[in-house]
């Protein structure tokens, strides 16, 4: 046996290490042992059971061979044949009723899904419209604020231009005795002096 394994050229199988016997005390320990056994060899394929097909009654035969006759003197076994046929017919009718009920429930579920979807879309559209309205309102308020700021800056610039460092001189013919200022040519006036009494000359 050993000579045949050596002549074939295959490497010998590694001996399995002896493992201690562990008896799980509850379901959690049993699940833990199963997971540890699976993770010892992760390359090994795990058999996944397929979904069991739904039970369905046997289809009726295309050709009925044991047809009951109308003659008298039927044997004692005919009643059992009739009983089995009746049981299969009852199962078929129950299956048809169950399938009809299932289809009805599925149709009602689909209708309820459609109603919920339409209601959710309407609610989403309403909220979207509300958000859009709030966004437009914020943009309008921001625009008005910018316009007010620009107008305020324009008024400030115009007032600073009127109150700027302009040189105000008086001609010879302007009487200044009423305001208590000298009547000589080229006399400078304070900034608070009324501008309509003098002629402006920008330097």
């Amino acid at each position: 046996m050993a000579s045949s394994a050596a002549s074939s050229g295959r490497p010998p199988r590694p001996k399995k290490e002896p493992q201690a016997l562990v008896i799980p005390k509850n379901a959690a320990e049993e699940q833990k042992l199963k997971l540890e056994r699976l993770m010892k060899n992760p390359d090994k394929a795990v058999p996944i059971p397929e979904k069991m097909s739904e039970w369905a009654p046997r289809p009726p035969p295309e050709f009925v061979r044991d047809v009951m006759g109308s003659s008298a003197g039927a044997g004692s076994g005919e009643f059992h044949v009739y009983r089995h046929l009746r049981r299969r017919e009852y199962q078929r009718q129950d299956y048809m009723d169950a399938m009809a009920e299932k289809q009805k429930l599925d149709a009602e579920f689909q209708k309820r899904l459609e109603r919920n979807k339409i209601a959710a879309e309407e609610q989403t559209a309403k909220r979207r419209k509300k958000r859009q309205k709030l966004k437009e309102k914020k943009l309008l308020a921001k625009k008005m604020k910018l316009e007010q700021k620009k107008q305020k800056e324009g008024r400030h610039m115009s007032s600073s231009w009127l109150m700027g460092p302009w040189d105000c001189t008086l001609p010879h013919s302007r009487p200044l005795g009423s305001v208590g200022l000298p009547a000589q040519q080229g006399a400078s006036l304070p900034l608070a002096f009324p501008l309509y009494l003098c002629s402006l000359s920008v330097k």
Side-chain angles (χ1 to χ4, degrees), residues 48-74:
I48 300 176
E50 297 181 357
K51 184 180 178 181
M52 295 181 63
S53 59
E54 190 175 357
W55 180 86
R58 187 173 62 181
E62 297 181 358
F63 185 78
V64 181
R65 300 184 182 276
D66 51 350
V67 180
M68 294 183 184
S70 59
S71 59

Side-chain angles (χ1 to χ4, degrees), residues 166-170 186-190 193-201:
W166 312 117
D167 189 13
C168 200
T169 57
L170 294 174
S188 356
L189 298 176
F193 191 78
L195 296 177
Y196 62 86
L197 296 177
C198 65
S199 60
L200 297 176
S201 62

Side-chain angles (χ1 to χ4, degrees), residues 2 19 23 32 40 45 54 57 63 67 81 143 162 166 174:
Q19 298 178 358
I23 299 176
K32 182 180 178 182
K40 280 182 180 178
E54 190 175 357
F63 185 78
V67 180
V81 175
K143 188 176 180 181
L162 290 175
W166 312 117
R174 179 72 66 182

